[in-house]
């Protein structure tokens, strides 16, 4: 078959104490046979339509017309799988397998099949020749399964299509799973990505007493799609320093000769498993919580290992050409011959019995039942998921004797509720909060009363609520927060991610992948629902006080609504009580992505608790106390969505009341953004009849929106009255300025809103001319005032609902204590 | 003033050979005075409205009402600046300063002011007491300047609001600037981000003969917003290994005592500058292109250094509390007193003369003219920008004897053109291509005929076009590609980024920041236009053959169009000749972000070169040869945008021609997406009159779109005929399947389009019933066929414009050679 260079290999293994003596030659032969079986099945999936056991000579019609998939990574993944099985079985370990290069789908499917899990989940793919034929055919085939380690693959929590998140997912899975080992393969190409490069540092947050263990395996197969990987092209000692510098103890397993690599890998794993147990024991029995140097493996083996060394005179094995389908053009008889030889080099007749079933002495190598990595319940987290214990969110409500009478910081109120959610579930160890160094900035500091921030690096006496057993995960990486949370949820737990609104775009693409995962899971009968991925976006576009233009972007929700309606939910609660109700709802929901946007600054409160509950249940509704059209048709509908736009709308309504008392104004507040979509587009969508009743069929609608105005048009373009809809929102105007100036710069302020009303009601006629001039004068006064004083006019910052004119007191706009 | 702990400090400096002997005590005193001046100005900007030199007792009214900005990072940045100035001046170095923690705006503004640049750019901010008062007031003040190192700041190419991109920008700036040193401060918080963590590895791509140098300075001030940073809390030797493992030679400069740190830093910089010169000489004179261990600095000094140790009994200096505004509540007289004492501790009277101007012996420390980091032309790249030499793109055109008669891979044709653009500019060293390991996958491999991939890690004989002087930058990090390209453009050069369409979302947030930067630059008179940021998105949603659902997302353009219309352009050329025309346009344009989406698979070609040029110039237009409404009103408008939708639309039109020959169909193709917007919204927008003429005022429009259908609605909701617009596009249905099945899954295929026409033309009546049934049967046949054969029906894959029915031959759909 293939030429294999003999490599000089030195594993740092022999000197480790306490390890088992390693596998016998017989056992090694069996392991190799199992490896060959999985390699055989991997190649078969990529190439074959039929003749699965090659019992007849291979012909063109046995081969797929379109060859799709990836071979290069698979043999390495396969060898690792076989050896992990060995230690799982021997020591009854609880282990799952996260593979970064998720294009290695053929490998994981092959193992699930060899272990029997695949046939249990998909009886049609039976463990016999017919089933094997179906297994081969279905791969990357219409009506079959995708090429990656997708939700369809038993044992997977990580699709790995978009590279970079393997370690973050692995750490998320290991948190609060004290006996779980997450073996995590990192592609050497993947290792070049940003998220992966910081993913290593998850070890600064993994507590050996409370959490399980991540076993990173850097798969140094040398190549990515069409290039070498730099970690494979730096001197060995540089690589070793890199890994040690990130706090690991690397074991190098390197070679081209399978026999030698089998032996080395087995020995390394023996040592490593013993070491992991020692670390756990040291932490759990001796209470030593010093951050250990966790073991890891550097697995340097050829890409495409065991495929033809050259094809058509071109280097293939141990080269990037083996990445996808090493050989195409299967109309060429020589190629058919090469494929046949290649597959036969695995000696299928030794591996599968006459029925096409894996021979029993090989099948006996795999663990059984839920110890199989393909059937580990942690990889189907929904089966482990338990509801959170929930305090009654109504108990945290803000007293609102009349609309606007109370001031509160919504985010802080939410934090109090989360504190008690945290408290009630401390014992269950199934709830964590995640934030890129913004937990307090986003006003969740009260949670620190019942738990700490998790930290495994050095802690100083002056440190503020840091400890190894904290449940608030703060690291300055949105990627890590997202990846950890995903890993935590996918293994059956709960969480919330708080982030600056603008910077959540950093994980746009990770959100995509998770939303796609959920969408597919909804279609797979055996995938059980998991807790929703919850975002709290604060420090939002309208109140970026210390910062400026770079921190202003409300577009994450635009991004979110492109994903399947079944999995996305967007809430913009206008005050603290609505935020509480929404928070409660998010923590109880399943299989969604919930995006909640709300501010953290002191702001007027509008609804009592019971009004808030009703309002959130409806998702949107008329605010009767603010409206003046009861019993008649409105002249204009003032709609608002988001806390700041709600404030500006109410201020505009008040101006209209004062100056145009006859005008009939209807005020509608939207808390559940998806209500605006047609019912045919989103399960929350309002019926057209209800929409028409609320927004009228023909009256002007002035819509003050938190985000980019086009989003409202995109959601409502099919509605009857869309032609009369006029939306104000963020239009990329901003800088470091006063809160009110931010809305003015974007024409979302009360004065512009009033102007919009006047412009759309010709019936107001000449009457309105004076009023319009007065509001223009106000805007000029505003600009002059802030450029002189650096703060908003007292009539603005001190404005109160129901209090006339400019005699309201000065409000608080200073936020210098923001990070205190 | 403030209490400073004495720290045990050991710089690894003394043993280095060849360094200058270090500064004299006198010089050190002057350096310290300059540092105090910059610290004074930094505090002043955050706090003071007036009384800038504290010549009268400080009162409440001298202090800003809203305190906004960040102090903590500033003293460290200031000290580094002063010392970089020293070596710049001594050795006439060409240096720019990129600071990761861009919230250190006060620091860079202070230095630009001290160097005189600020007053040159903004004469109102003069170098006297009055100017200083204005300098203070304007900071984070309405009508003034933002808090960050924004485009307004002379000398900046990096806003640093969103953390993580400092090193990528720095490397991008250093490429092809052989005498430039980019001093790059990395916050220890920032260092936790993914992009920054991989940013270090830019050194595997920096060629010491051809490129300049990046001098990373890890600012280990211990804290971020409200937490310690883990790099500051791991053992020193672990950190050292980490940095050495990434290929650097770290110099540790650590301490709390300014005097000592001044000395150490000066000595370290002397050594480092000598070392950089040695590395350059070794590469340039001796031709040694081995990757060197570039020097770097670990600068461990207290966060908020020199501010009060405690405020109100709470630790402030050397703690996270100094991050933003260390002290608020300035209505408290004690606080006013503390502020006054703090500012006076810098002894302003020693620093500024009676007019408030920096004393001459201090001013003499700074470099002059263009050597000032605040006035280095590389930081205002437009002044250095030169046009690319451009071959005539028409020479690369595909022959198209009649529409659809030729097949070509658009991306590959583009690659040939880019090859010659590359060739013509090799001498000017101002053009690079960037790709996350997808250059060949996206079909630009012909560029390898004239240049290589850049690589500074080890190169093997079997490697494919790798060399230290390559101009194709391939690294598996979308963040690095983006960051490098931005750095390269911002310093006045040209480039193109090729990426899988789905994964470009990885840099959504970086795009945001760059688009915002450009928007602001357009408003700043002295910022000169730079080359546009060009994206080529291929391997798009419709042809993800080896991959699947995770690789399908056309939503980047949705994200892009939320940014200011002046800076964004989106093109979806339907074939190779239009792609050539668009490419040429992008490479000539300035200050835009151009997004170009096109496929890489063999596909029919529609337009001759001259038709293509005309079509692209118009941006959209009727394809007369495909339409049947000439001289009359159409019954239906079939619009299309994107290569695959164009193909499906034409196939639908052909079916309509065959089966409903009387139907008058108008075919419109859109290449410039922004044409659809109203002229009031985008400079490219079509007037309503033209739009109505093209799309009619009342006929059904069936729009086949490449991306999410809602985007078309969002762009056209104001158009007269919007109510009759029916859009098909990607709706998140997909997997690994055949090319045609992808469009079928999303109802974008020819049969659905025909069905849409029938549904919207009631006048077709009973006639259409048979036809409708026939197309439904076709879809069922399709499903059965692909599930059996794994490939599209020959009548589909072999379809040709103008060739009737199913007798067309089988087309090529196999793509197994994709990575060959
Ligand atoms: C973020 C991202 N960028 C680009 C790609 C395209 N891509 C698919 S596989 C691959 C190479 C992966 O190399 P490596 O991680 O070494 O995996 P291997 O197949 O060698 O095990 C690339 C670049 C991707 N999947 N994800
Ligand atoms: C990507 C990103 N996430 C979060 C923030 C919010 N933020 C602003 S400053 C800061 C801390 C920065 O710490 P460090 O890099 O150490 O800078 P320094 O200590 O010098 O201020 C954070 C988290 C941000 N600016 N960017
Ligand atoms: Mg690899
Ligand atoms: Mg810091």
């Amino acid at each position: 078959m293939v030429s294999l260079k003999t490599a000089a290999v030195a594993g740092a293994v022999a000197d480790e104490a306490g390890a088992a003596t390693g596998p016998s030659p017989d056992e090694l032969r069996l392991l190799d046979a199992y490896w060959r079986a999985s390699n055989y099945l991997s190649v078969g999936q990529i190439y074959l339509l039929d003749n699965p056991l090659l019992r007849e000579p291979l012909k063109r019609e046995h081969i797929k017309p379109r060859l799709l998939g990836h071979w290069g990574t698979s043999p390495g993944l396969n060898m690792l799988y076989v050896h992990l099985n060995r230690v799982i079985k021997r020591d009854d370990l609880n282990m799952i397998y996260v593979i970064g290069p998720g294009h290695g789908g053929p490998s994981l499917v092959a193992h699930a099949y060899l272990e029997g899990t695949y046939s249990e989940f998909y009886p049609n793919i039976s463990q016999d020749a017919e089933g094997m034929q179906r297994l081969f055919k279905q791969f990357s085939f219409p009506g079959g399964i995708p090429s990656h380690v997708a939700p369809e693959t038993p044992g997977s929590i990580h699709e790995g299509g978009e590279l970079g998140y393997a370690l973050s997912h692995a750490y998320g899975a290991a948190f609060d799973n004290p006996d779980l080992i997450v073996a995590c393969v990192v592609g050497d190409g993947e290792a070049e990505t940003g998220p992966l490069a910081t993913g290593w540092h998850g070890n600064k947050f993994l507590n050996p007493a409370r959490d399980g263990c991540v076993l990173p395996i850097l798969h140094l197969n040398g190549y990515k799609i069409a290039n070498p990987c730099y970690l494979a092209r730096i001197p060995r000692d540089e690589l070793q320093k890199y890994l040690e510098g990130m706090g690991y103890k690397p074991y190098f397993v390197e070679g081209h000769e399978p026999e030698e690599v089998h032996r080395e890998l087995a020995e390394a794993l023996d040592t490593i498993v013993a070491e992991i147990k020692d670390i756990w024991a040291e932490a759990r029995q001796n209470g030593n919580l010093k951050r250990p140097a966790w073991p890891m493996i550097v697995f340097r083996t050829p890409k495409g290992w065991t495929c033809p060394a050259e094809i058509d005179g071109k280097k293939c094995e141990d080269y990037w050409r083996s990445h996808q389908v090493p050989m195409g053009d299967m109309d060429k008889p020589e190629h058919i011959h090469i494929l046949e030889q290649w597959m036969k080099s695995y000696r299928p007749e030794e591996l599968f019995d006459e029925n096409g079933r894996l021979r029993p002495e090989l099948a006996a190598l795999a663990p059984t039942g839920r110890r199989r990595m393909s059937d580990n319940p942690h990889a189907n987290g929904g089966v482990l998921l338990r509801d959170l214990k929930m305090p009654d969110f109504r108990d945290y409500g803000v007293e609102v004797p009349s609309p606007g009478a109370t001031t509160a910081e919504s985010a802080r109120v939410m934090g109090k509720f989360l504190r008690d959610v945290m408290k009630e579930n401390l014992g269950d160890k199934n709830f964590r909060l995640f934030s890129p160094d913004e937990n307090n900035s986003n006003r969740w500091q009260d949670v620190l009363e019942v738990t700490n921030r998790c930290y495994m690096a050095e802690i100083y006496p002056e440190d503020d609520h840091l400890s190894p057993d904290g449940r608030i995960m703060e690291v300055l990486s949105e990627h890590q927060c997202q990846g950890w949370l995903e890993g935590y949820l996918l293994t059956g737990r709960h969480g919330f991610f708080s982030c600056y609104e603008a910077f959540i775009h950093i994980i746009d693409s990770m959100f995509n992948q998770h939303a796609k995962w959920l969408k597919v899971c909804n279609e797979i009968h055996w995938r059980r629902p998991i807790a929703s991925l919850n975002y709290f976006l604060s420090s939002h576009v309208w109140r970026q006080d210390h910062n400026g233009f770079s921190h202003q972007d409300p577009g994450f929700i635009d991004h979110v609504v492109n994903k399947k309606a079944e999995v996305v939910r967007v809430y913009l609660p206008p005050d603290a009580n609505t935020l509480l109700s929404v928070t409660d709802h998010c923590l109880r929901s399943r299989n969604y992505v919930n995006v909640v946007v709300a501010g953290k600054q002191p702001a007027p409160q509008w609804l009592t608790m019971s009004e808030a509950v009703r309002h959130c249940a409806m998702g949107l509704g008329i605010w009767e106390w603010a409206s003046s059209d009861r019993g008649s048709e409105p002249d204009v509908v003032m709609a608002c969505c988001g806390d700041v736009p709600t404030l500006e709308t109410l201020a505009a309504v008040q101006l209209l009341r004062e100056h145009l008392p006859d005008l009939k104004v209807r005020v509608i507040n939207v808390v559940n953004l998806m209500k605006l979509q047609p019912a045919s587009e989103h399960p929350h969508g309002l019926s057209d009849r209800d929409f028409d009743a609320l927004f009228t069929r023909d009256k002007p609608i002035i819509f003050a929106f938190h985000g980019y105005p086009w989003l409202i048009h995109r959601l409502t373009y099919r509605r009857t009255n869309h032609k009369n809809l006029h939306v104000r929102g963020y239009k990329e105007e901003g800088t470091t300025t006063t809160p009110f100036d931010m809305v003015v710069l974007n024409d979302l302020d009360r004065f512009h809103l009033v102007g919009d009303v006047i412009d759309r009601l010709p019936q107001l006629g000449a009457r309105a001319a004076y009023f319009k001039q007065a509001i223009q004068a106000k805007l000029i006064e505003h600009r002059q005032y802030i450029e002189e004083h650096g703060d908003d006019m007292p009539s603005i910052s001190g404005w109160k609902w129901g209090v006339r004119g400019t005699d309201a007191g000065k409000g608080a706009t200073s936020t210098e204590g923001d990070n205190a």
Side-chain angles (χ1 to χ4, degrees), chain A:
Chain A
M1 55 170 277
V2 292
S3 78
L4 287 174
K5 282 188 263 167
T6 313
V9 180
V13 167
D15 52 344
E16 293 299 325
T21 51
S24 68
D26 268 356
E27 204 188 337
L28 282 174
R29 261 192 301 280
L30 287 173
L31 291 169
D32 187 65
Y34 203 107
W35 182 48
R36 285 186 279 120
S38 56
N39 285 341
Y40 183 83
L41 295 179
S42 301
V43 184
Q45 289 177 77
I46 294 172
Y47 279 98
L48 296 193
L49 259 185
D50 208 342
N51 190 13
L53 287 154
L54 294 181
R55 289 192 178 148
E56 34 173 326
L58 189 63
K59 301 210 198 73
R60 179 63 182 103
E61 60 264 33
H62 299 147
I63 299 169
K64 299 186 183 187
R66 303 182 77 227
L67 302 175
L68 302 176
H70 302 77
W71 161 252
T73 193
S74 299
L77 298 177
N78 285 337
M79 166 134 347
L80 291 164
Y81 201 110
V82 172
H83 283 261
L84 293 171
N85 268 354
R86 175 178 161 267
V87 290
I88 292 171
K89 178 140 180 130
R90 188 191 63 200
D91 295 356
D92 191 30
L93 299 177
N94 186 9
M95 195 181 295
I96 61 172
Y97 195 43
V98 169
I99 62 161
H103 47 276
S107 163
L108 260 64
V109 170
H111 281 279
Y113 180 74
L114 291 172
E115 294 177 350
T117 322
Y118 211 87
S119 309
E120 292 165 24
F121 284 164
Y122 305 104
N124 206 34
I125 311 293
S126 46
Q127 288 187 293
D128 52 25
E130 208 181 330
M132 193 187 288
Q133 182 266 330
R134 294 205 187 103
L135 177 82
F136 287 177
K137 179 176 170 182
Q138 69 166 4
F139 177 78
S140 289
F141 205 83
I145 62 167
S147 56
H148 283 62
V149 189
E152 289 89 340
T153 313
S156 168
I157 58 165
H158 177 87
E159 208 252 5
E162 183 172 298
L163 300 165
Y165 317 126
L167 281 171
S168 303
H169 282 169
Y171 276 99
F175 294 147
D176 288 319
N177 272 325
D179 72 336
L180 185 66
I181 299 176
V182 186
C184 178
V185 180
V186 174
D188 48 2
E190 179 179 29
E192 298 180 1
T193 67
L196 198 291
T198 199
W200 297 103
H201 296 285
N203 59 2
K204 277 91 193 175
F205 301 85
L206 189 92
N207 174 337
R210 173 183 64 171
D211 304 322
C213 157
V214 172
L215 172 60
I217 304 171
L218 178 60
H219 191 188
L220 223 56
N221 64 11
Y223 296 92
K224 36 199 182 189
I225 298 184
N227 281 283
C229 306
Y230 55 70
L231 291 187
R233 298 291 181 92
I234 59 175
R236 154 87 96 92
D237 68 314
E238 202 170 308
L239 178 61
Q240 180 157 349
K241 278 185 183 169
Y242 181 50
L243 299 170
E244 288 176 1
M246 294 191 292
Y248 293 93
K249 180 171 175 190
Y251 289 86
F252 287 78
V253 176
E254 304 173 294
H256 287 217
E257 266 326 330
E259 213 176 309
E260 214 164 320
V261 177
H262 277 303
R263 199 175 30 72
E264 293 220 2
L265 181 55
E267 285 172 6
L269 276 171
D270 286 349
T271 310
I272 285 168
V273 168
E275 224 169 283
I276 291 170
K277 289 180 181 172
D278 284 351
I279 291 172
W280 280 347
E282 178 67 16
R284 295 166 196 191
Q285 278 129 49
N286 302 342
N288 179 357
L289 288 187
K290 220 173 101 29
R291 176 172 56 94
W294 291 98
M296 65 163 289
I297 296 174
V298 177
F299 190 59
R300 193 194 291 262
T301 54
K303 187 151 187 168
W305 206 5
T306 71
C307 84
E310 291 193 347
I311 294 169
D312 299 338
K314 286 185 173 163
K315 186 172 170 63
C316 196
E317 190 198 29
D318 200 13
Y319 203 50
W320 53 260
R321 278 200 200 88
S322 66
H323 174 68
Q324 283 179 351
V325 179
M327 172 174 65
D329 273 341
M330 298 308 292
D331 291 336
K332 290 194 186 152
E334 322 84 87
H335 281 193
I336 297 180
H337 181 70
I338 292 173
L339 175 62
E340 191 171 30
Q341 290 307 103
W342 171 16
M343 291 193 70
K344 286 201 161 163
S345 75
Y346 301 120
R347 307 196 296 280
E349 65 288 356
E350 295 177 18
L351 311 172
F352 303 99
D353 68 15
E354 58 286 4
N355 297 320
R357 195 188 175 91
L358 186 66
R359 291 188 185 277
E361 67 274 23
L362 297 181
L365 296 179
T368 55
R370 303 229 137 180
R371 289 308 196 205
R372 294 173 297 182
M373 291 196 287
S374 56
D375 196 25
N376 190 305
H378 293 287
N380 184 11
V383 306
L384 301 175
L385 182 65
R386 299 190 50 198
D387 289 352
L388 284 174
K389 295 176 192 141
M390 297 282 285
D392 190 336
F393 68 92
R394 293 170 195 82
D395 298 345
Y396 303 82
V398 175
E399 277 303 320
V400 182
S402 71
T406 323
T407 293
E409 296 157 77
S410 296
R412 198 181 284 266
V413 174
M414 180 183 188
K416 287 188 201 304
F417 176 49
L418 290 177
R419 174 196 60 203
D420 291 354
V421 176
M422 180 62 80
K423 194 158 106 195
E424 295 210 15
N425 295 281
L426 282 177
D428 290 335
K429 299 191 174 160
N430 61 352
F431 184 54
R432 297 203 188 202
L433 303 177
F434 299 79
S435 179
D437 189 26
E438 294 160 5
N439 183 73
N440 286 20
S441 177
N442 289 330
R443 298 289 184 275
W444 283 0
Q445 49 269 76
D446 288 341
V447 186
L448 292 170
E449 293 171 14
V450 300
T451 188
N452 291 311
R453 301 166 165 122
C454 174
Y455 214 60
M456 288 297 302
E458 202 181 342
I459 296 178
Y460 294 168
E462 66 260 36
D463 278 334
D464 179 24
H465 289 97
L466 291 189
S467 84
D469 65 358
R471 310 191 70 75
I472 300 185
M473 311 303 295
E474 291 214 65
V475 61
L476 210 180
S477 166
E478 287 74 7
H479 293 107
Q480 291 264 64
C481 290
Q482 172 82 16
W484 288 348
L485 175 55
E486 288 178 3
Y488 200 63
L489 299 174
L490 287 162
T491 49
R493 284 79 63 76
H494 306 262
F496 229 116
F497 180 174
S498 110
C499 191
Y500 286 0
E501 181 187 46
F503 296 157
I504 196 69
H505 274 301
I506 291 171
I507 54 75
D508 272 3
S509 207
M510 296 182 78
F511 153 80
N512 275 352
Q513 299 302 328
H514 190 74
K516 282 176 178 270
W517 178 276
L518 291 178
K519 185 252 184 190
V520 175
C521 286
N522 278 333
E523 300 160 5
I524 298 177
H525 64 95
W526 56 267
R527 284 269 173 200
R528 297 279 295 280
I530 59 171
S532 298
L533 172 51
N534 299 314
Y535 295 101
F536 176 58
L537 306 184
S538 196
S539 309
H540 62 50
V541 52
W542 304 111
R543 294 302 302 273
Q544 268 306 326
D545 300 4
H546 290 264
N547 301 305
F549 193 42
S550 59
H551 286 55
Q552 293 159 357
D553 188 308
F556 184 63
I557 54 185
D558 297 61
H559 178 70
V560 162
V561 297
N562 275 343
K563 289 289 161 285
K564 273 288 169 192
E566 302 94 79
V567 299
V568 298
R569 301 289 181 267
V570 180
Y571 301 97
L572 294 109
D575 67 2
N577 288 340
T578 47
L579 176 58
L580 282 170
S581 173
V582 164
T583 304
D584 180 75
H585 180 76
C586 293
L587 287 174
R588 294 174 189 274
S589 74
R590 297 287 180 270
N591 267 15
Y592 296 154
V593 177
N594 295 307
V595 183
V596 182
V597 186
K600 66 183 189 184
Q601 302 294 352
Q605 301 298 304
W606 310 113
L607 303 188
T608 65
M609 198 68 225
S610 63
E611 288 165 347
V613 171
R614 199 169 54 236
H615 188 50
C616 291
M618 300 206 305
L620 92 191
I622 300 175
W623 279 5
E624 301 187 15
W625 50 269
S627 304
S628 54
D629 67 328
R630 181 182 275 283
S632 63
E633 281 269 284
D635 298 310
V636 62
V637 177
M638 305 283 286
C640 49
C641 179
D643 48 15
V644 167
T646 300
L647 172 64
E648 290 307 313
T649 294
L650 290 169
V653 167
Q654 187 150 312
L655 284 168
L656 291 171
R657 278 194 187 182
E658 287 173 26
H659 296 266
L660 300 169
D662 301 339
L663 200 69
K664 299 212 177 58
V665 178
R666 174 176 296 178
V667 176
I668 295 181
N669 182 271
V670 180
V671 60
N672 177 343
L673 193 65
M674 297 298 95
K675 283 277 164 188
L676 295 179
Q677 280 203 295
S680 56
E681 298 279 321
H682 195 284
H684 283 183
L686 216 57
S687 71
D688 279 331
R689 179 193 299 258
D690 287 350
F691 194 96
D692 289 354
L694 281 168
F695 290 92
T696 79
R697 301 178 62 89
D698 53 4
K699 296 293 180 291
I701 309 168
I702 310 297
F703 199 126
F705 181 48
H706 173 86
Y708 293 105
W710 311 288
L711 178 55
I712 299 300
H713 289 292
R714 170 219 193 288
L715 296 172
T716 59
Y717 64 84
R718 287 205 191 290
R719 302 295 192 173
T720 316
N721 198 17
H722 178 255
K723 62 187 172 308
N724 291 309
L725 175 64
H726 178 70
V727 189
R728 293 290 185 184
Y730 183 64
K731 47 176 199 173
E732 288 288 319
E733 294 294 337
T735 181
T736 319
T737 187
T738 69
F740 187 64
D741 196 39
M742 269 305 296
V743 286
V744 172
L745 289 174
N746 291 281
D747 303 345
L748 179 70
D749 59 282
R750 55 201 69 181
F751 302 118
H752 277 95
L753 295 177
V754 165
D756 288 338
V757 170
I758 297 172
D759 289 347
R760 270 154 199 83
L761 290 176
Q763 64 263 42
L764 297 177
R767 272 197 299 166
Y770 285 91
F771 186 23
K772 187 118 196 240
Q773 183 160 321
I775 59 177
Q776 278 157 355
K778 268 289 175 196
L779 284 170
I780 295 165
E781 187 189 338
H782 153 74
R783 175 115 350 257
Q784 286 171 331
Y785 185 94
I786 62 166
E787 293 195 356
E788 186 182 340
H789 296 91
D791 203 351
D792 287 324
M793 298 187 288
S795 62
I796 297 293
S797 54
W799 176 89
K800 264 183 164 15
W801 174 252
V803 179
R804 248 190 102 88
T806 54
D807 30 63
K810 177 179 174 348
T813 61
S814 189
T815 50
E816 67 261 7
D818 252 20
N819 66 334

